[in-house]
Amino acid sequence: MTPFRGLMLCASFCLASAGGQGSPPSSSTPLQQSVSYQDGSYQNFDEQNAAIARLAPAFGGYYTQDKLLYIVTTLDDETARQTAVKTLFAQQGEQLRRNGFSPQQVRFVRGQFNAAQLLESKEVVQGVRGWTGLGINQKLNRVEVRLALPVLEAGAQAFVARRLPAGIVVFTSLPPQVLPPADTLPHPHRAVLNAELRDKAVQISLDLTNTGRERLKFLHGSCDFSFEVVRLETGEVVRPSPAVELCNMVGHLIDLKPGETLALASELWNVRTPEGEAVPQGRYLIRAAFELFQSGDGNEATTLVVRPADVVLELPITVK
């Protein structure tokens, strides 16, 4: 598990920003996220770039780096480049000039795709199974997609190969996380993992009871509950626990009185593998962990783990 992941400021993947713009490297910064018009219409950053590309077909987007303005173009032709510059400044010149840029101080970068193609691809790729974030990276001139698990990449590649130009989408993912082996919360407590088949899903929940004589206080984020499911017959992990890099800044403060029980976490498992295949009937081992934070000396937060006993679930039928 990633320490302090519940206290990060970003969603699970920073590419999915409010303006829809891909998050470029830290040294490359967009100037503008969105714009609204008097008629009530709204365009995010990617939509603005696509609109420019419809007027200047070689325009692939722009970004800033080291106080310089870079414009991506699909052609090295000077006429095409100047058309891209003029159209960009006609649409967004006020904002650009306010930030110290002018049409005479532009650097050009060769790209393969124009901004309209990138926007269309970003919209299409939302149909990919298991993405946790997506956006357009202006510097790379690509749509970047973060997948929850590596096993999803083959299906994702097949999906885009049938619909989009080769190379326009880049997929990334992290290996499944390994659950911590032991409970490390020193305060006296009891943690109980529950699993119940309801209709076509399994409700998995974690209850925490304060069995000590003092209050149990801690802080946790919005994605600190992790679980995996193992098919006992084969030992196959049919539902791995996806790795989480960054998480929403949602600080939940828990204060449990002695003897008090709290439903600490609850999630649904759709009784399928990450690829979407229904698992067969049989016995399944469910194991889980919950990551929390407690203040120590000097107000430094310590990462602790609640690790309940594993439970075995009997699936009487294959849920279609």
Side-chain angles (χ1 to χ4, degrees):
M1 285 184 162
T2 304
F4 302 105
R5 64 177 184 174
L7 299 181
M8 294 295 185
L9 289 172
C10 190
S12 60
F13 188 32
C14 289
L15 290 180
S17 66
Q21 183 198 352
S23 174
S26 58
S27 58
S28 304
T29 309
L31 295 176
Q32 179 172 339
Q33 290 293 324
S34 61
V35 63
S36 58
Y37 298 98
Q38 292 182 350
D39 62 0
S41 61
Y42 168 90
Q43 280 189 331
N44 63 34
F45 186 82
D46 297 334
E47 291 168 339
Q48 294 172 57
N49 283 345
I52 293 171
R54 295 185 186 103
L55 299 173
F59 179 74
Y62 72 94
Y63 60 92
T64 65
Q65 181 173 307
D66 300 327
K67 298 182 179 180
L68 296 173
L69 174 63
Y70 291 82
I71 295 181
V72 181
T73 59
T74 60
L75 297 172
D76 293 330
D77 177 76
E78 188 62 25
T79 300
R81 284 179 166 182
Q82 292 307 314
T83 300
V85 173
K86 291 177 182 178
T87 308
L88 171 62
F89 274 83
Q91 298 288 329
Q92 301 182 25
E94 180 180 351
Q95 177 75 15
L96 290 165
R97 291 186 175 89
R98 187 183 304 130
N99 285 275
F101 301 106
S102 70
Q104 292 76 33
Q105 296 174 317
V106 170
R107 294 195 179 185
F108 295 98
V109 178
R110 181 65 183 270
Q112 186 176 354
F113 306 103
N114 76 15
Q117 290 175 300
L118 292 169
L119 176 62
E120 180 182 356
S121 298
K122 190 184 81 168
E123 293 171 346
V124 169
V125 84
Q126 292 182 46
V128 166
R129 176 186 294 277
W131 65 268
T132 58
L134 62 88
I136 297 172
N137 188 312
Q138 305 295 332
K139 188 175 183 180
L140 294 180
N141 191 231
R142 296 291 188 274
V143 177
E144 290 186 321
V145 181
R146 171 64 50 81
L147 300 174
L149 294 163
V151 296
L152 298 170
E153 184 164 343
Q157 293 284 10
F159 181 92
V160 301
R162 297 191 298 268
R163 296 168 173 83
L164 299 174
I168 198 168
V169 179
V170 176
F171 292 102
T172 60
S173 61
L174 293 174
Q177 63 176 307
V178 177
L179 298 184
D183 195 303
T184 61
L185 178 62
H187 189 100
H189 66 281
R190 181 174 63 254
V192 178
L193 186 63
N194 307 291
E196 181 182 358
L197 179 62
R198 295 182 179 178
D199 193 15
K200 296 183 179 181
V202 173
Q203 184 78 49
I204 299 172
S205 59
L206 173 61
D207 293 334
L208 181 67
T209 301
N210 181 2
T211 59
R213 297 182 178 181
E214 298 178 353
R215 301 173 88 100
L216 171 56
K217 297 181 180 182
F218 59 87
L219 183 73
H220 71 87
S222 61
C223 54
D224 292 322
F225 180 57
S226 305
F227 72 91
E228 62 183 19
V229 182
V230 181
R231 186 182 179 191
L232 286 176
E233 181 180 337
T234 62
E236 176 189 8
V237 179
V238 296
R239 195 280 182 186
S241 179
V244 178
E245 284 187 297
L246 297 172
C247 210
N248 283 333
M249 179 68 172
V250 181
H252 299 281
L253 179 62
I254 303 301
D255 185 354
L256 277 181
K257 300 176 182 177
E260 189 175 5
T261 298
L262 172 70
L264 191 58
S266 180
E267 285 195 26
L268 283 175
W269 173 44
N270 62 1
V271 203
R272 295 180 180 275
T273 66
E275 298 92 332
E277 299 178 0
V279 301
Q281 64 185 85
R283 299 173 72 238
Y284 291 85
L285 181 72
I286 300 175
R287 44 196 181 208
F290 191 92
E291 196 172 84
L292 55 88
F293 314 96
Q294 282 189 326
S295 297
D297 296 337
N299 291 325
E300 292 184 359
T302 301
T303 305
L304 299 169
V305 173
V306 173
R307 182 74 158 80
D310 303 340
V311 297
V312 175
L313 174 70
E314 184 82 31
L315 288 181
I317 59 172
T318 298
V319 179
K320 298 295 186 180

